[in-house]
Amino acid sequence: MTTVKTIEKIDAREIRRKLGLNQQQFWSTLGVTQSGGSRYESGRNMPKPVRELLRLVHVEQIDIKSIKRDDWEVVEYLKANEPELFKSLKKSARGRAKKAA
């Protein structure tokens, strides 16, 4: 049996244009140079970590500067040791975010 790996296609240029940002503004928040970002927008393969950062920062609108290591450690602990509590907290947080919007 052959497994086909699906590669998620992200159109960085389209996302950047919708946000009204120039390449320098858009890519610098991800730690990518303008020239590197330009290459990704021209079709060069984007590494998965860059693709995920782009999704988090520019699609999900998460301020990655505000995430602390200990926050991440708490999330990982809850996922591994208290999965039902994690699911419940996640559901509550989503419900609160929808009410705020």
Side-chain angles (χ1 to χ4, degrees):
M1 181 153 116
T2 304
T3 304
V4 177
K5 189 173 185 177
T6 305
I7 298 175
E8 184 180 335
K9 176 72 174 142
I10 291 183
D11 188 345
R13 179 179 288 144
E14 183 65 23
I15 294 169
R16 179 178 60 77
R17 287 181 176 165
K18 283 182 180 178
L19 294 171
L21 301 173
N22 65 37
Q23 287 182 336
Q24 178 65 33
Q25 295 165 322
F26 184 83
W27 291 106
S28 67
T29 58
L30 306 178
V32 175
T33 64
Q34 180 275 323
S35 62
S38 177
R39 287 191 295 271
Y40 296 143
E41 290 184 21
S42 297
R44 186 177 218 184
N45 285 337
M46 189 182 310
K48 185 175 180 179
V50 174
R51 201 170 53 239
E52 286 302 308
L53 275 173
L54 188 152
R55 184 184 63 78
L56 288 171
V57 173
H58 293 302
V59 176
E60 301 292 335
Q61 298 293 307
I62 295 174
D63 180 6
I64 60 174
K65 294 177 195 167
S66 68
I67 300 172
K68 306 285 187 243
R69 179 179 292 271
D70 57 343
D71 296 334
W72 187 253
E73 289 170 352
V74 169
V75 169
E76 291 301 313
Y77 173 83
L78 287 172
K79 281 182 177 178
N81 299 300
E82 301 285 345
E84 292 306 314
L85 177 57
F86 176 77
K87 287 177 189 175
S88 174
L89 291 170
K90 186 175 173 180
K91 184 177 179 180
S92 294
R94 283 187 176 160
R96 184 174 180 194
K98 285 181 183 178
K99 286 179 185 177

